Amino acid sequence: MKLISWNVNGLRAVMQKNFMDVFNELDADFFCLQETKLQEGQIVMDLPDHHEYWNYAVKKGYSGTAIFAKEPALSVNYGIGIEEHDQEGRVITLEYPEFYLVCCYTPNSQNELRRLDYRMTWEDAFRDYLKQLNTQKGVILCGDLNVAHENIDLKNWKTNQKNAGFTPQEREKFTQLLAAGFVDSFRFFYPELAGVYSWWSYRFNARKNNAGWRIDYFVVSEDLQDKMTDAKIHTEIFGSDHCPVELTIGL
C-alpha cells in the first residue's frame, strides 16, 4: 500500500501546474493534501477511481486538508472534536479495518512566535487525540507538521533555533509524540541521512541551494512499524514550496 502526503500551498494554483501529472504518476492508494486553501465548490476534481474527503477552514482561502482514497473509509472524522481547534480544516481521520489514517496540517507558530502558545495547546490536544485512536487500532499520521525535529532535519539549524518550526518547545512536543508510541518513518529507515528536505522558502534561492527543512512526515504507531517497507521524500517534484513525501506499508 502506497500513501502520499503533499502540502500543495494552494490546490487551485498547483492544478494549473502539474498536480494531475504528479497524482497519476505516483498512483497512490491514498493521496493526502494540506493547505488546499479553498472552500467547498471552488474546485471539481476528476477522480473517478477515488473517494474524496475534504475539510475546509471557516476562513476563506486558508489552511484546509483533503484525502483522495481508492477504497472507501469505514468512517470519517473531521477535526479532533474540540471546537477551538476545529475551525481551520486541519485534520481528517479515515478509519479502515486495520488502521486509522490521519491527515494533518499543524498550525504554524508564525513570525515572532505570536502563535506559539496556541501551538502548544494544539500539540497536547492533538497528541491526546492520536493516543486515543491508537488504543483502538494502529495509526498512520501524515502531513505538514511544521517542525524540524533534529538538527539533521534542516540546513541552517544554528541560526533557526528561535524561529517557528525549530523552537525547543515545538521540537519537544514532537519528541513527546514519539515517546507516546509513534515512529518517524523516514528516520526509521534513514536515521543518519542528511540533506534531504521537504520544504524550502521561496526566498533566497533556497530550493536551488537546498537550504531546506524536513517538516512533512509519515508518523506511524509502533505496532505498525514492522509493516513499513520504505519512506521517501520526492525532492524531484516541484509545483509547491513543499514536495510530496511517501510511505509504503504492508497493509
Side-chain angles (χ1 to χ4, degrees):
M1 186 174 78
K2 179 195 285 190
L3 303 96
I4 295 290
S5 177
W6 194 10
N7 180 324
V8 291
N9 194 10
L11 181 56
R12 285 172 293 180
V14 79
M15 282 292 290
Q16 301 301 315
K17 300 176 185 177
N18 61 338
F19 179 80
M20 289 309 305
D21 290 338
V22 172
F23 184 87
N24 291 326
E25 180 181 341
L26 292 177
D27 189 27
D29 297 285
F30 297 93
F31 205 110
C32 304
L33 305 182
Q34 303 86 44
E35 212 170 354
T36 52
K37 291 185 175 179
L38 46 75
Q39 306 299 123
E40 186 173 8
Q42 288 188 307
I43 196 169
V44 177
M45 306 293 289
D46 183 19
L47 304 173
D49 297 326
H50 293 77
H51 302 267
E52 301 178 28
Y53 304 93
W54 299 83
N55 196 3
Y56 307 101
V58 173
K59 180 180 178 181
K60 292 183 178 179
Y62 180 73
S63 188
T65 47
I67 302 177
F68 308 134
K70 288 185 178 179
E71 296 295 330
L74 297 176
S75 68
V76 57
N77 189 52
Y78 299 101
I80 62 173
I82 300 174
E83 185 174 359
E84 175 189 10
H85 299 311
D86 290 347
Q87 303 301 303
E88 298 178 352
R90 294 188 177 274
V91 178
I92 302 173
T93 303
L94 303 186
E95 181 186 3
Y96 288 88
E98 295 182 80
F99 64 97
Y100 288 103
L101 173 61
V102 182
C103 174
C104 176
Y105 177 39
T106 298
N108 191 303
S109 295
Q110 300 188 349
N111 292 336
E112 299 179 354
L113 305 179
R114 63 180 182 270
R115 215 179 185 200
L116 181 61
D117 289 345
Y118 172 71
R119 168 71 176 267
M120 295 296 99
T121 302
W122 159 277
E123 290 280 0
D124 291 340
F126 186 57
R127 185 175 65 256
D128 287 345
Y129 174 75
L130 295 175
K131 288 166 62 178
Q132 177 59 36
L133 290 179
N134 199 28
T135 64
Q136 302 171 57
K137 60 183 73 175
V139 175
I140 301 173
L141 163 66
C142 70
D144 174 2
L145 303 187
N146 261 316
V147 62
H149 186 216
E150 302 289 355
N151 297 349
I152 195 175
D153 293 319
L154 72 168
K155 179 71 172 288
N156 298 311
W157 66 268
K158 290 183 179 179
T159 57
N160 277 294
Q161 295 177 78
K162 296 182 180 180
N163 290 335
F166 198 60
T167 62
Q169 298 96 315
E170 292 163 309
R171 297 169 67 191
E172 173 59 23
K173 292 299 184 184
F174 193 86
T175 297
Q176 291 176 19
L177 173 61
L178 298 183
F182 295 88
V183 176
D184 175 351
S185 64
F186 187 76
R187 285 290 168 234
F188 179 84
F189 290 106
Y190 309 103
E192 299 180 1
L193 182 59
V196 182
Y197 309 117
S198 65
W199 173 77
W200 304 260
S201 171
Y202 280 131
R203 304 166 64 192
F204 311 122
N205 292 313
R207 190 153 190 177
K208 179 180 179 182
N209 297 322
N210 199 30
W213 300 48
R214 189 177 72 93
I215 60 176
D216 300 88
Y217 295 83
F218 275 95
V219 174
V220 175
S221 57
E222 289 177 345
D223 55 331
L224 295 180
Q225 71 178 19
D226 291 341
K227 298 181 182 297
M228 297 190 299
T229 54
D230 199 7
K232 297 178 181 178
I233 298 179
H234 287 281
T235 57
E236 78 282 4
I237 294 177
F238 289 73
S240 168
D241 53 347
H242 296 249
C243 72
V245 297
E246 175 181 326
L247 174 71
T248 50
I249 187 168
L251 290 171

